[in-house]
Amino acid sequence: MTLRKLTSALLIALAMPVAALADSDRIVILHTNDTHSIIDPYHETGLGGVMRRKALIDSVRNNEPNVLLVDAGDVVQGSLYFTLFGGEVEQKVMNALGYDVQILGNHEFDNGMEPLRTYLEGLNADLITTNYDLTQSNISDLFKPYTVRSVGGKKIGFLVINVDPAGLIDAAKSQGVRYLDPIQAANAVAWWLRNIEKCDYVIALSHIGYEEGNKADDILLAEYTQGIDAIIGGHSHTLIDPSAPDAKRSRFANLAGDTVVVAQTGKYGANLGEVVINLNDNSVTSRVIPVTSRLDSQVDPQLAEILRPYKTPVDSINGIVVGQTSQAFNKNPQMMNWMADFVMTDAQRLAKQKIDMSIVNVGGIRSTFPEGYITKGNIMQTFPFDNHEVVLAISGAHLAQALDSIAATGGNGVSHNVRALMDVEGKRCLQVTIDGKPIDPNRTYYVATINYLAGGNDGMEPLKYGMIVARSDNYLYDDMLNAFQKGFLRKKKLRPDSTVRMKQ
């Protein structure tokens, strides 16, 4: 063995569990969540990448006899690989990595039900959902309410709790999906798995978030159920690392007083999660393993060949320079301010009336601008959704309600001419001005936004009372690219605006 190979092997071994020998007295469940089409290492952090993840998974499988691999949703949406190929790359990658169980995240619905079925049909993993009634959808035959896996001489039951699609997933893209009470569903199926299927352990996979305030989340799921040993979650992009000095809480008492472990790995494949069931004392522990460049020497030739035809067009688009920045932008407030100002300025070409303000959502921003050159790939990855600019005619009374909705979520993006003072706990704005003037409840305002928000999604239900008077035919990122290449942003160096326009 060469020195380089020996060093690589030692580095891999350091990532393994302490007792990573041929022990048969434990079961290892490896898990991911919210990887969001990050096939290559994420450009902002240098972490993640599916080649590295495969090397780490293979190493665990080589050292552990009882291994399962699961994913907690949002495999797709967030890079050019999804924008260009619509899930084909992620489908092949998940099969190549050998996932045993996969679930739906909210972004799996982004392209609509027919493309979703095509994506799901090609997956090798068990597909389960416990609290979605899919009987009226075109994917009902692909899903089960639970699955049972036998490993290490034990039966492990998996159930799945999915997020409420209302106001989060476009109803037109999730036709036939009916949401059921998550706590009732979890308790019923956990009981069934324990008592009818005779499972030794029950694991809940979830895509509801770790700490979501007044919504169902992993903490609520842990505390108001029984019979579940661990919850492997996603959706909130929370890193739960029990070894960190400021670690998020990972152990909760359920209705029976038993301990439930809650695990989540953050986002973008930066970490691989590991839940270990000790078969001697039935204890459950969890940890996260960073997916870093130490794994770069472990290249899987078959996976590399799968990625090769897709990587060339992605790299090509990432190399097309369209603009420039004076410095790197942060997400909030700088990217949010830039997006709001862009939408207000660009949408004016669509409308006959003068636009009064704009509203955008921070959830529509998936990356940030680097210092220096901005490429076509940067724009498409930062704003990957198939949103369109729209202009709403809306009463001042309903606009004020919409801004109260923004306050309830802690603030979103508004144009440079808006100032607001928010009472987040009270879920309202104490004061709002547009161009220095208070909102007139009896006046009609013209608001630039995106169709997703105009449909009342992401907590913006009052915007549904507005009437769309203009709409772009292009996706938002195409309008941005046009502005950079031949419009009002051509040859302009972008400078970030750090003004907090909606203050708590």
Side-chain angles (χ1 to χ4, degrees):
M1 179 181 288
T2 65
L3 179 59
R4 181 177 178 180
K5 288 184 177 179
L6 177 60
T7 302
S8 297
L10 289 172
L11 287 171
I12 296 290
L14 290 174
M16 295 304 100
V18 174
L21 302 171
D23 296 340
S24 58
D25 60 349
R26 62 194 213 152
I27 296 169
V28 176
I29 303 173
L30 300 177
H31 60 96
T32 51
N33 61 273
D34 300 280
T35 50
H36 283 294
S37 301
I38 303 301
I39 302 299
D40 302 320
Y42 188 53
H43 67 280
E44 290 186 8
T45 63
L47 299 174
V50 297
M51 293 297 297
R52 296 171 179 175
R53 194 194 315 167
K54 188 167 194 312
L56 191 50
I57 291 167
D58 288 348
S59 295
V60 175
R61 285 174 172 151
N62 290 335
N63 284 274
E64 295 280 353
N66 307 319
V67 179
L68 292 171
L69 176 62
V70 303
D71 184 82
D74 277 2
V75 170
V76 300
Q77 187 61 276
S79 81
L80 290 178
Y81 286 97
F82 185 69
T83 305
L84 297 179
F85 305 111
E88 182 179 317
V89 183
E90 295 85 343
Q91 180 193 78
K92 291 181 178 180
V93 165
M94 298 302 275
N95 288 341
L97 269 59
Y99 277 80
D100 296 292
V101 182
Q102 285 184 246
I103 77 171
L104 292 166
N106 50 296
H107 286 290
E108 267 72 18
F109 293 94
D110 279 1
N111 284 348
M113 295 301 289
E114 287 303 325
L116 175 58
R117 181 174 179 90
T118 299
Y119 166 71
L120 295 171
E121 279 181 319
L123 295 173
N124 297 333
D126 287 348
L127 301 174
I128 51 175
T129 179
T130 303
N131 70 316
Y132 278 174
D133 177 357
L134 299 175
T135 52
Q136 300 302 310
S137 78
N138 69 330
I139 58 173
S140 61
D141 59 310
L142 303 178
F143 281 84
K144 301 181 289 187
Y146 64 84
T147 192
V148 178
R149 287 296 187 111
S150 295
V151 60
K154 301 292 183 178
K155 292 177 71 175
I156 300 181
F158 289 92
L159 61 88
V160 168
I161 299 301
N162 289 108
V163 70
D164 187 351
L168 179 67
I169 303 172
D170 189 335
K173 295 181 178 181
S174 56
Q175 294 168 325
V177 177
R178 180 168 165 257
Y179 178 72
L180 306 177
D181 183 276
I183 304 301
Q184 290 181 9
N187 273 316
V189 173
W191 181 90
W192 182 273
L193 288 169
R194 290 284 187 184
N195 295 281
I196 306 301
E197 295 286 356
K198 304 299 182 184
C199 289
D200 300 285
Y201 306 98
V202 173
I203 307 296
L205 302 182
S206 80
H207 197 84
I208 55 177
Y210 173 77
E211 197 170 18
E212 298 294 293
N214 60 349
K215 298 179 182 178
D217 56 30
D218 287 338
I219 295 175
L220 195 72
L221 185 63
E223 293 179 337
Y224 284 85
T225 58
Q226 54 186 330
I228 296 172
D229 296 288
I231 298 169
I232 295 173
H235 186 53
S236 58
H237 297 184
T238 307
L239 176 60
I240 304 176
D241 179 2
S243 67
D246 57 346
K248 295 277 187 181
R249 189 177 169 194
S250 62
R251 305 178 78 81
F252 298 86
N254 70 5
L255 284 177
D258 299 323
T259 298
V260 182
V261 168
V262 175
Q264 196 178 147
T265 67
K267 62 181 180 180
Y268 302 163
N271 300 287
L272 181 67
E274 180 189 75
V275 170
V276 175
I277 301 172
N278 187 311
L279 301 182
N280 294 321
D281 60 11
N282 294 322
S283 64
V284 181
T285 57
S286 66
R287 70 167 183 152
V288 293
I289 307 170
V291 181
T292 69
S293 60
R294 74 187 187 280
L295 301 158
D296 282 347
S297 62
Q298 307 297 307
V299 176
D300 182 89
Q302 291 181 321
L303 182 55
E305 184 60 25
I306 289 172
L307 296 177
R308 184 185 55 77
Y310 304 103
K311 189 169 175 56
T312 300
V314 167
D315 289 345
S316 175
I317 291 174
N318 279 327
I320 301 172
V321 174
V322 296
Q324 195 173 5
T325 64
S326 62
Q327 64 187 75
F329 283 49
N330 64 33
K331 189 171 184 179
N332 188 0
Q334 293 171 353
M335 286 301 303
M336 198 160 62
N337 287 348
W338 185 86
M339 181 185 180
D341 291 344
F342 173 85
V343 168
M344 181 175 178
T345 302
D346 193 62
Q348 188 61 68
R349 65 186 169 80
L350 306 171
K352 297 177 182 178
Q353 305 85 358
K354 180 183 180 296
I355 293 175
D356 294 293
M357 66 169 292
S358 68
I359 297 174
V360 299
N361 62 325
V362 70
I365 304 167
R366 309 308 286 190
S367 187
T368 58
F369 290 157
E371 181 178 358
Y373 292 117
I374 303 172
T375 70
K376 184 176 180 179
N378 290 146
I379 298 296
M380 294 177 71
Q381 181 157 324
T382 301
F383 305 97
F385 304 109
D386 58 354
N387 294 316
H388 301 261
E389 292 175 352
V390 298
V391 179
L392 291 178
I394 189 169
S395 72
H398 287 137
L399 177 57
Q401 291 175 14
L403 291 165
D404 285 343
S405 296
I406 294 177
T409 61
N412 250 331
V414 293
S415 48
H416 60 86
N417 61 328
V418 178
R419 293 292 182 271
L421 184 63
M422 302 182 297
D423 173 12
V424 176
E425 257 186 51
K427 300 181 180 180
R428 64 192 180 113
C429 287
L430 302 174
Q431 180 182 340
V432 181
T433 61
I434 302 173
D435 292 319
K437 299 177 182 178
I439 293 177
D440 179 352
N442 299 311
R443 183 192 147 187
T444 296
Y445 288 83
Y446 293 93
V447 177
T449 185
I450 55 175
N451 60 302
Y452 176 72
L453 298 182
N457 295 302
D458 207 9
M460 298 302 296
E461 190 167 342
L463 290 185
K464 289 166 62 176
Y465 296 107
M467 180 176 67
I468 295 177
V469 296
R471 175 189 172 105
S472 174
D473 293 330
N474 303 321
Y475 291 145
L476 177 61
Y477 60 74
D478 282 327
D479 281 331
M480 290 177 173
L481 290 170
N482 287 334
F484 274 108
Q485 292 171 326
K486 53 189 177 185
F488 68 95
L489 293 177
R490 188 170 181 266
K491 294 184 178 180
K492 285 190 177 180
K493 183 178 283 190
L494 305 186
R495 289 174 171 79
D497 177 2
S498 299
T499 304
V500 178
R501 299 170 181 177
M502 298 188 72
K503 293 185 178 179
Q504 297 189 23

